[in-house]
């Protein structure tokens, strides 16, 4: 699994003119799923995301997690995170999972985050044309690949 983790002052998702998610301070998590992903990837990422200390403490040092600040989270599926740009100028998405595999993995990922966070996670709609708005705070943007745990 690949994720883009963004610290936000606010974020929202609109699908077909309807707002499906809306948060203030917290995290926007874009997630891409591939066929090699397992429950182990989900569990590792969920723990990492919830405990990631990227929010300022009383001294404005990045020492607090989203849990510590009582923040919120939006998760948005994004198959384009698995784009291959090796050949030509048109990305290939062959590594991205098909919906039959990706949807249950995405749903399990959201559930795992909710369990770690002990709070409801807001989402976009898998496979929909989504309009994602965010005010990146910092900016702080972190890329995490569960297959390359650096």
């Amino acid at each position: 699994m690949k994720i883009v983790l963004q610290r936000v002052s606010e974020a929202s998702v609109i699908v077909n003119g309807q707002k499906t998610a809306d948060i203030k301070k917290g995290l926007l998590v874009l997630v891409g799923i591939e066929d090699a992903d397992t429950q182990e990837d989900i569990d590792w990422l969920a723990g990492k995301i919830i405990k990631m200390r990227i929010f300022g403490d009383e001294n404005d040092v990045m020492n607090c997690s989203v849990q510590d600040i009582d923040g919120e989270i939006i998760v948005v599926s994004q198959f384009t995170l698995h784009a291959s740009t090796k050949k030509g100028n048109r990305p290939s998405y062959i590594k991205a999972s098909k919906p039959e595999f990706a949807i249950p993995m995405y749903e399990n990922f959201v559930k795992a985050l909710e369990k770690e966070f002990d709070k409801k996670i807001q989402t976009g709609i898998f496979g929909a044309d989504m309009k994602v708005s965010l005010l990146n705070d910092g900016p702080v943007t972190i890329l995490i690949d569960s297959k390359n745990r650096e």
Side-chain angles (χ1 to χ4, degrees), residues 50 72-75 110 113-114 117 119-123:
I50 300 305
E72 300 175 281
I73 300 174
I74 294 179
V75 175
V110 171
L113 277 172
E114 287 178 338
F117 197 36
K119 197 184 230 187
K120 181 84 173 124
I121 302 291
Q122 296 188 48
T123 65

Side-chain angles (χ1 to χ4, degrees), residues 88-105:
N89 294 316
R90 183 176 184 189
S92 168
Y93 304 107
I94 196 138
K95 283 191 76 176
S97 291
K98 301 283 186 264
E100 304 79 48
F101 180 80
I103 291 171
M105 290 294 285

Side-chain angles (χ1 to χ4, degrees), residues 9-149:
S9 297
E10 60 186 60
S12 63
V13 179
I14 295 175
V15 179
N16 295 327
Q18 301 285 27
K19 198 172 278 189
T20 65
D22 189 21
I23 66 170
K24 295 299 178 200
K25 191 171 188 172
L27 298 172
L28 173 64
V29 181
L30 306 175
V31 59
I33 298 165
E34 64 179 323
D35 289 346
D37 292 331
T38 66
Q39 188 65 44
E40 181 184 336
D41 295 297
I42 289 171
D43 295 339
W44 181 80
L45 278 171
K48 184 65 89 173
I49 290 165
I50 300 305
K51 295 176 183 94
M52 186 71 58
R53 297 185 313 162
I54 58 174
F55 293 90
D57 63 14
E58 63 279 353
N59 298 315
D60 207 25
V61 174
M62 283 198 266
N63 231 357
C64 297
S65 70
V66 67
Q67 223 166 18
D68 296 332
I69 64 147
D70 197 30
E72 300 175 281
I73 300 174
I74 294 179
V75 175
V76 174
S77 62
Q78 186 153 7
F79 73 93
T80 60
L81 293 179
H82 286 288
S84 173
T85 58
K86 187 175 181 178
K87 292 174 24 178
N89 294 316
R90 183 176 184 189
S92 168
Y93 304 107
I94 196 138
K95 283 191 76 176
S97 291
K98 301 283 186 264
E100 304 79 48
F101 180 80
I103 291 171
M105 290 294 285
Y106 172 78
E107 290 170 350
N108 287 342
F109 178 65
V110 171
K111 286 178 191 169
L113 277 172
E114 287 178 338
K115 184 178 176 186
E116 283 282 332
F117 197 36
D118 200 25
K119 197 184 230 187
K120 181 84 173 124
I121 302 291
Q122 296 188 48
T123 65
I125 297 177
F126 190 96
D129 180 20
M130 295 176 271
K131 307 303 179 206
V132 180
S133 298
L134 69 135
L135 183 55
N136 193 314
D137 181 16
V140 174
T141 302
I142 297 172
L143 308 174
I144 304 175
D145 185 338
S146 66
K147 301 296 187 232
N148 184 18
R149 298 181 183 189

